[in-house]
Amino acid sequence: MAAVDYYNTGDDASAQASNTRWIAQTFTASITYSINSVKLKLWRDVTLAPGIVTASIRATTSGLPSGTDLCSGTTDGDTLPTTAGTAEWREITFGSPANLTSGTVYSIVLRCAGSGSYPLNWRSDNSSPTYSGGSYCYSSDSGSSWTALTSADMMFETYSAVTYVDISGIIAGTSDLSGTLTLSTQVNIAGTIAGISTVGGVLGAELILSSDWQIGDEIPTKRLIQIGNNALWYEDI
């Protein structure tokens, strides 16, 4: 699966969770996509058992988590590392994906079954957080009410099952990309797309996505979904 939205560097602290203290990170969907899982940087208290850890996606209201779970998944928190220095990027897969809309703010909500004094820890950047799409939030009453702490951001990555091609290069001077795009050398075309006003049709009919492709080969089974976040997203058709 492909990572879409993320803040995954600079962690220097941890936020604590239990069955009544829930913690969350709000984020802005950079494109429209179906979210299948999240990866969160987690560890547990050495003397306490978090039990089943649940992560879910919720909507937001005024920058705070709101409503019920749009999707959720679980993992065994008792198998997490027991020190902050060995915190693990644990993937939590949702039972069914949720459809996210580009530019909309959502929240990743984390809680656990353990009732001890904060058995679960989520790594965060408290000293110099730079994620502009959201912030850390916490609830002391199992998600009934929330408080935002804009001076911290949690370590997170969101994932979609849709595949993408890296287009971090520059394609300039093109006003219309409906039709097909032929890559003259390789799939990775370093830079950013600039000057494109129209994208449509089947873009990628001539994208060769295996290591032994030949220029000019065609795979008419790929369809463009999105261009955004320095990536070209496609699906099988």
Side-chain angles (χ1 to χ4, degrees), residues 56-209:
S56 65
I57 302 297
R58 293 191 173 189
T60 61
T61 300
S62 300
L64 298 173
S66 62
T68 57
D69 294 341
L70 302 177
C71 59
S72 66
T74 61
T75 189
D76 183 358
D78 295 347
T79 62
L80 289 167
T82 56
T83 64
T86 59
E88 175 188 332
W89 278 101
R90 177 67 63 90
E91 182 169 20
I92 301 176
T93 301
F94 303 132
S96 58
N99 295 322
L100 308 187
T101 301
S102 178
T104 300
V105 181
Y106 298 93
S107 56
I108 303 169
V109 178
L110 186 72
R111 63 271 199 191
C112 67
S115 59
S117 179
Y118 311 135
L120 179 63
N121 296 271
W122 186 0
R123 293 292 290 167
S124 62
D125 181 353
N126 285 25
S127 63
S128 55
T130 58
Y131 180 68
S132 60
S135 65
Y136 164 62
C137 303
Y138 65 90
S139 170
S140 299
D141 52 14
S142 303
S144 295
S145 61
W146 290 90
T147 300
L149 186 62
T150 57
S151 60
D153 285 312
M154 312 308 294
M155 297 292 105
F156 76 95
E157 298 174 347
T158 70
Y159 284 81
S160 173
V162 178
T163 311
Y164 74 95
V165 175
D166 183 1
I167 52 168
S168 46
I170 296 177
I171 301 177
T174 303
S175 62
D176 189 344
L177 275 185
S178 52
T180 62
L181 172 65
T182 301
L183 302 180
S184 60
T185 55
Q186 57 184 13
V187 170
N188 184 356
I189 50 176
T192 56
I193 285 190
I196 297 174
S197 62
T198 303
V199 176
V202 179
L203 176 63
E206 296 185 9
L207 292 182
I208 309 306
L209 305 173

Side-chain angles (χ1 to χ4, degrees), residues 207-220:
L207 292 182
I208 309 306
L209 305 173
S210 62
S211 59
D212 59 346
W213 69 279
Q214 298 294 318
I215 296 174
D217 286 352
E218 293 188 2
I219 299 181

Side-chain angles (χ1 to χ4, degrees), residues 9-29:
T9 59
D11 56 303
D12 52 23
S14 300
Q16 298 172 314
S18 68
N19 62 338
T20 56
R21 180 181 171 83
W22 295 11
I23 54 182
Q25 172 71 36
T26 59
F27 68 98
T28 302

